[in-house]
Amino acid sequence: MENTLIQQESDDINYHLHPYTNARKHQEQGPLVIVKGDGVYVEDIHGRKYLEAMAGLWSVALGFSEKRLVQAAMRQFEVLPFYHQFTHKTHDVAAQFAKMLIDIAPVPMSKVFFTNSGSEANDTVVKLVWYRSNALGLPNKKKIISRLKGYHGVTVASASLTGLPGNHRGFDLPIDRILHTACPHYWRDAQEGESEEQFSTRMAQELENLIRKEGPETIAAFIAEPVMGAGGVIVPPATYWEKIQAVLEKHDILFIADEVICGFGRTGKMFASETFGLKPDVLVLSKQISSSYQPLSAILLNEKMFNPIADESNKLGVLGHGFTAGGHPVAVAVGIENLNIIKERNLVENAATVGAHMLKRLHELENHPLVGEVRGVGLIAGVELVIDKAKKTALEVPGQLGTMVGKVLQDLGVISRNIGDTLAFCPPLIITVEQVDEMVDKFKQALDIVHERLNG
């Protein structure tokens, strides 16, 4: 048996190119092979159990063993294992789920376009924005503004929207017509004596300045996550969204809310747009839409976005875009059942109440010598690590401290993710207060171990 396990690890090293991984380092250290999941826990090939504090990739809302999702998939496999939505065709579950999503949207929406991942969805949004501008006779109104440290995916267009250097270096990205404005991280970037509201005013002014520099007539849309995920769990400061949206409205710029991480309860509301009072023209959804039991994403368009697109498709004879597996019936059936369960079990409320406990426990660590800032909302949080609290600096190599703490935490039985020197926590929505305590207690233990190593 042990030889079989070693062979499986060896096969992964020999034959598998991993995403978001140093390929040479992987050849040296090998993989963590996960083979089983139960609730908020997963188990590796050697029988070691871990509390999955990242819900996989911010995404497994219902945990790793929800039988109702499995049964929903199997029922659909038996009835209609595949069909598409090209050329006026559809299937019953796609139509049903589209209506469900429109019904629960945080602001009035008109249509749903199904894709398979957040990256595909945001890539599609770029094309639809350009298509709409052409429909309106505005061929120069094509630029899209994103934010530094924002994350919107990894396809050519969506990776260009992403504002992280690691997604651009070596890939000849970003492409043209994609711009980036400032990241609203108050703790890190506020000027001395600047209040949150003053900082937000400055962020809005920087956006205004960029729009004026480029020419308002060239800016089609602004895309942003309500709470930044892969950029380090950055929660917007007071009045930020109010001021940003005022700038967009002033210049008639579309607002695209990327709720791929935040949607379906993560922030303690069904959508983070409700949490922060956002009024997007486009809503991008994925991850928790199916608890990642199946690949699925959705773009919700309001009438302002949809009508010119519909007119242009009529003029040209077709909307020449779509994916073979977009809105796959099995994925959509799982999405329907997933949303039903989230509602039935009051998991949005659970995210609010248990999330408040998680943040309370994490804030108790603010006096720890390695903790610089604790930030979060609902069941998503980030803890930024430092060596020098006053200077807000970590070790000489960026990310080294976060990697050290993350490795010790994993050895203690909790899987987190270090984003540079920030440890992220985004557990399944089903997590309990007791399981949060287990997670935070082990995190505290990991901090103590690393602190002792650094100062021993």
Side-chain angles (χ1 to χ4, degrees), residues 57-78:
L57 284 173
W58 323 83
S59 57
V60 185
L62 302 186
F64 294 87
S65 55
E66 180 48 63
K67 288 184 170 36
R68 279 177 59 180
L69 296 188
V70 177
Q71 291 162 358
M74 290 307 298
R75 285 195 301 270
Q76 188 60 45
F77 268 124
E78 290 174 351

Side-chain angles (χ1 to χ4, degrees), residues 37-41 55-56 58-70 72 264 266 287-293 333-348 350 379 426-431 435:
D38 184 16
V40 301
Y41 298 95
W58 323 83
S59 57
V60 185
L62 302 186
F64 294 87
S65 55
E66 180 48 63
K67 288 184 170 36
R68 279 177 59 180
L69 296 188
V70 177
F264 300 96
R266 179 56 61 188
K287 293 190 184 291
Q288 292 195 150
I289 195 172
S290 66
S291 283
S292 286
Y293 279 47
V334 170
I336 291 170
E337 189 70 348
N338 180 70
L339 182 54
N340 287 337
I341 293 170
I342 287 173
K343 290 179 177 179
E344 289 170 22
R345 297 180 187 170
N346 297 315
L347 292 181
V348 178
N350 192 66
L379 270 175
C426 186
L429 298 187
I430 63 171
I431 196 168
Q435 290 165 340

Side-chain angles (χ1 to χ4, degrees), residues 295-307:
L296 180 63
S297 55
I299 304 161
L300 276 59
L301 312 173
N302 67 8
E303 287 286 307
K304 180 180 178 181
M305 183 72 177
F306 167 72
N307 283 328

Side-chain angles (χ1 to χ4, degrees), residues 112-333:
V112 176
F113 189 95
F114 288 114
T115 48
N116 303 287
S117 69
S119 293
E120 276 189 7
N122 282 322
D123 195 276
T124 294
V125 167
V126 170
K127 290 182 68 178
L128 293 179
V129 166
W130 291 345
Y131 194 86
R132 176 182 181 272
S133 289
N134 288 333
L136 294 172
L138 300 169
N140 295 321
K141 195 175 178 67
K142 298 285 178 62
K143 296 173 186 174
I144 301 174
I145 300 175
S146 183
R147 298 181 297 174
L148 297 173
K149 292 192 177 180
Y151 186 85
H152 302 289
V154 295
T155 60
V156 170
S158 65
S160 296
L161 296 173
T162 292
L164 297 168
N167 296 102
H168 294 166
R169 291 194 304 258
F171 293 111
D172 293 343
L173 297 176
I175 58 175
D176 67 344
R177 297 187 286 188
I178 305 296
L179 310 170
H180 293 88
T181 191
C183 166
H185 190 179
Y186 175 74
W187 177 80
R188 173 63 63 188
D189 298 323
Q191 297 171 356
E192 186 174 352
E194 192 174 39
S195 69
E196 283 196 30
E197 184 168 356
Q198 289 168 334
F199 175 79
S200 295
T201 298
R202 181 159 61 86
M203 293 294 99
Q205 188 60 52
E206 286 194 23
L207 176 60
E208 173 82 30
N209 293 345
L210 177 61
I211 291 168
R212 289 192 177 280
K213 175 189 170 188
E214 297 291 330
E217 71 283 358
T218 72
I219 309 296
F222 173 83
I223 184 170
E225 305 155 274
V227 175
M228 286 180 161
V233 189
I234 298 169
V235 181
T239 71
Y240 173 81
W241 278 121
E242 175 188 333
K243 295 175 188 297
I244 292 293
Q245 289 184 108
V247 173
L248 302 178
E249 185 176 350
K250 174 182 176 182
H251 295 291
D252 191 25
I253 294 170
L254 295 167
F255 180 24
I256 304 156
D258 182 338
E259 292 229 27
V260 167
I261 286 176
C262 296
F264 300 96
R266 179 56 61 188
T267 63
K269 298 284 188 181
M270 183 62 80
F271 298 103
S273 291
E274 300 169 80
T275 305
F276 297 103
L278 308 186
K279 297 179 180 178
D281 299 291
V282 179
L283 200 63
V284 181
L285 307 173
S286 191
K287 293 190 184 291
Q288 292 195 150
I289 195 172
S290 66
S291 283
S292 286
Y293 279 47
Q294 286 282 289
L296 180 63
S297 55
I299 304 161
L300 276 59
L301 312 173
N302 67 8
E303 287 286 307
K304 180 180 178 181
M305 183 72 177
F306 167 72
N307 283 328
I309 291 170
D311 290 342
E312 187 75 352
S313 74
N314 187 49
K315 173 185 171 184
L316 300 178
V318 66
L319 175 62
H321 179 80
F323 302 94
T324 299
H328 192 287
V330 177
V332 169

